Amino acid sequence: MDVCFNFSTSGELIRVPSESVVLITADGNYSVLTLVDGSEYVLTMQLGQVEHKLMDVATAQSGRFIRIGKSLIINRKYISYINPARQKLTLSDCRTFKRETTASREALKALKEYIEKEELL
């Protein structure tokens, strides 16, 4: 069963299934929510507030969302390529959606090690 996230502002409500969320990026005091269909929504919340909301709602799906550095939260389901040396991360559904982004070497190295370690379990 998929959990839906509700993000509301004074003028609108954004309701999305957690499985549709690919990444959330910081943009000053706002956050940009990117969905698997390529649509983006600007949230009137800082990334830390979004992170708390994700963790509160998605406790049953612990580990689905990973914060990488100060400005990025990703849905681990969509990780398709990590290159710490080039500071490159690609998120894809392997069909229609592909998004390249960057993060620090340290953050991507830690993410790579986390994913590799997880495979061993």
Side-chain angles (χ1 to χ4, degrees), residues 24-32 45-51 66-74 102-108:
I24 304 122
T25 54
D27 187 9
N29 286 329
Y30 298 92
S31 298
V32 179
M45 305 169 83
Q46 293 179 337
L47 195 63
Q49 295 170 303
V50 174
E51 180 181 23
I66 303 170
R67 175 115 184 219
I68 300 176
K70 296 179 183 178
S71 61
L72 186 62
I73 297 173
I74 62 167
T102 60
S104 72
R105 282 185 179 90
E106 297 78 23
L108 290 177

Side-chain angles (χ1 to χ4, degrees), residues 20 63 85:
S20 297

Side-chain angles (χ1 to χ4, degrees), residues 46-96:
Q46 293 179 337
L47 195 63
Q49 295 170 303
V50 174
E51 180 181 23
H52 289 295
K53 185 172 190 78
L54 293 177
M55 299 314 155
D56 288 345
V57 174
T59 53
Q61 303 172 16
S62 62
R64 174 177 279 190
F65 295 97
I66 303 170
R67 175 115 184 219
I68 300 176
K70 296 179 183 178
S71 61
L72 186 62
I73 297 173
I74 62 167
N75 185 334
R76 62 190 270 158
K77 173 183 175 181
Y78 296 108
I79 298 170
S80 64
Y81 178 79
I82 303 169
N83 187 325
R86 292 187 178 171
Q87 296 180 285
K88 186 175 177 182
L89 172 66
T90 302
L91 302 166
S92 174
D93 68 355
C94 297
R95 291 181 300 239
T96 58

